[in-house]
């Protein structure tokens, strides 16, 4: 099968274009990766042409022999649907988990996303934590969530609790809450390590003054997670601009949602709020 006709490639391209349409990928901002299933690789194997092995810059033994479809470094999301063979690439991980090689794409030259080590380290974590179900890692620059990193305390509990109160869907979509990474230089090992620590517990992490990092089982669920977090952030930005909250979802209400939808919301995200009265000042 031609690579571009493969359903997983079409799904990847659609997600990249959806993110561009949302305004989350200015210039060459953001990156996306997908851990390809064995049967999907077999369908396109005749169209793959392995290149030279290169160092990943980290070790991911849990991903040895795996293949990933990823965006290219310096490539624009807006071009993923227009010229996917230039903007995207499929890479193979060697048996030691320390090297990769390009087997398709980037026909005009280039390298996989500069944040490949971060993606791979987190793929390794989420593969283990989800028993292999998680296959998508998505990084974007949603405006409102980035704006909140300048005014909210940079801690998991505050960020999660404030967003949970903005939409009833939030504790259903990401019940484990949001991890927060303080500002760090993107693309390096340090931010990869800190993010992978958080992703052992969370499916979504905020990178302060930078963007959002999400993991999911497929393209729809991962994009939907990003979309839900950013929608809640947009509501909170508007509420704060109108002078703050007069009433909100109480802690007991979040507990009720948890029970009604069969999700497990950690008590730390609702405990303090359950003691507040409507009209009280925000925790921050």
């Amino acid at each position: 099968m031609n690579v571009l006709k493969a359903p997983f490639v079409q799904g990847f391209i659609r997600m990249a274009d959806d993110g561009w349409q949302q305004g989350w990928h200015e210039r060459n901002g953001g990156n996306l990766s997908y851990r390809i299933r064995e049967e999907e690789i077999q369908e396109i194997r005749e169209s793959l042409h392995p290149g030279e092995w290169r160092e990943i810059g980290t070790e991911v033994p849990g991903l040895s022999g795996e293949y990933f479809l990823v965006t290219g470094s310096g490539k624009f999301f807006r071009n993923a649907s227009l010229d996917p063979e230039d903007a995207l690439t499929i890479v193979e991980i060697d048996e030691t988990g320390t090297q990769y090689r390009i087997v398709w794409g980037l026909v005009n030259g280039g390298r996989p996303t500069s944040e490949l080590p971060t993606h791979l380290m987190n793929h390794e974590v989420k593969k283990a934590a989800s028993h292999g179900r998680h296959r998508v890692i998505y990084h974007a620059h949603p405006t409102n969530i980035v704006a909140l990193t300048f005014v909210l305390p940079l801690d998991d509990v505050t960020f999660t609790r404030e967003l949970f109160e903005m939409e009833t869907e939030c504790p259903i979509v990401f019940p484990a809450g949001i991890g927060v990474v303080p500002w760090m230089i993107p693309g390096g090992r340090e931010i990869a390590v800190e993010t992978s620590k958080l992703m052992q517990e969370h499916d979504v992490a905020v990178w302060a003054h930078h963007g959002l990092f999400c993991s999911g089982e497929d393209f729809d669920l991962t994009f939907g997670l990003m979309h839900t977090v950013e929608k809640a952030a947009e509501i909170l930005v508007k509420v704060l601009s109108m002078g703050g909250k007069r009433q909100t979802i109480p802690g007991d209400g979040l507990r009720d949602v948890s029970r009604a939808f069969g999700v497990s919301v950690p008590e730390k995200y609702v405990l303090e709020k359950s003691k507040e009265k409507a009209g009280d000042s925000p925790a921050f």
Side-chain angles (χ1 to χ4, degrees):
M1 178 188 296
N2 182 289
V3 172
L4 294 179
K5 292 182 179 179
F8 77 90
V9 177
Q10 289 299 309
F12 188 102
I13 291 171
R14 178 192 174 191
M15 183 167 169
D17 190 62
D18 284 345
W20 161 251
Q21 296 296 334
Q22 290 293 325
W24 298 344
H25 299 283
E26 74 291 339
R27 201 173 181 273
N28 62 312
N31 26 75
L32 176 62
S33 63
Y34 171 69
R35 184 166 59 86
I36 306 171
R37 299 177 186 274
E38 176 60 28
E39 59 269 26
E40 293 171 329
I41 280 294
Q42 293 304 326
E43 290 178 347
I44 63 171
R45 187 171 293 279
E46 293 184 358
S47 298
L48 304 182
H49 303 285
E52 297 180 356
W53 292 107
R54 302 175 181 177
E55 295 295 322
I56 296 172
T58 190
E59 298 180 6
V60 284
L63 301 178
S64 64
E66 297 260 22
Y67 290 81
F68 292 85
L69 176 59
V70 303
T71 47
S73 178
K75 303 298 183 178
F76 292 20
F77 265 60
R78 69 187 299 265
N79 292 331
S81 62
L82 301 176
D83 193 359
E85 291 182 284
D86 171 70
L88 312 178
T89 184
I90 293 176
V91 299
E92 177 187 5
I93 309 302
D94 76 350
E95 293 303 316
T96 69
T98 62
Q99 295 183 309
Y100 76 91
R101 62 181 176 183
I102 293 172
V103 299
W104 176 86
L106 295 178
V107 294
N108 295 312
R111 301 172 69 91
T113 170
S114 61
E115 291 179 354
L116 183 65
T118 304
H119 277 251
L120 294 179
M121 289 179 69
N122 284 278
H123 270 291
E124 185 178 43
V125 167
K126 299 308 291 186
K127 177 183 177 182
S130 69
H131 303 289
R133 294 193 304 273
H134 277 222
R135 291 186 172 274
V136 182
I137 295 286
Y138 184 31
H139 169 53
H141 302 162
T143 303
N144 293 285
I145 197 71
V146 174
L148 288 177
T149 67
F150 291 90
V151 296
L152 292 185
L154 297 177
D155 68 82
D156 302 357
V157 172
T158 301
F159 250 90
T160 298
R161 189 173 63 231
E162 294 301 325
L163 293 182
F164 273 6
E165 292 183 9
M166 295 301 102
E167 281 193 293
T168 304
E169 290 77 10
C170 287
I172 301 169
V173 174
F174 53 101
I178 294 178
V180 178
V181 179
W183 186 85
M184 294 181 179
I185 296 174
R189 179 173 172 79
E190 183 179 6
I191 194 170
V193 170
E194 291 305 311
T195 305
S196 63
K197 290 178 182 177
L198 292 175
M199 296 300 272
Q200 294 178 19
E201 176 183 349
H202 307 283
D203 291 337
V204 53
V206 172
W207 286 353
H209 323 316
H210 182 168
L212 201 58
F213 196 83
C214 293
S215 173
E217 296 182 23
D218 58 34
F219 298 122
D220 285 344
L221 290 174
T222 312
F223 186 85
L225 173 58
M226 179 84 67
H227 207 182
T228 302
V229 173
E230 172 61 4
K231 180 66 173 291
E234 180 182 4
I235 296 170
L236 181 54
V237 167
K238 291 180 177 180
V239 168
L240 294 176
S241 72
M242 293 186 289
K245 291 170 281 187
R246 295 181 62 87
Q247 56 274 325
T248 189
I249 301 172
D252 286 340
L254 294 173
R255 294 188 184 92
D256 290 341
V257 170
S258 177
R259 286 190 292 269
F261 287 88
V263 297
S264 179
V265 176
E267 186 66 12
K268 64 182 178 179
Y269 296 137
V270 297
L271 182 60
E272 293 182 25
K273 281 294 182 179
S274 68
K275 299 178 181 178
E276 294 178 3
K277 298 179 182 179
D280 281 354
S281 299
F284 55 93

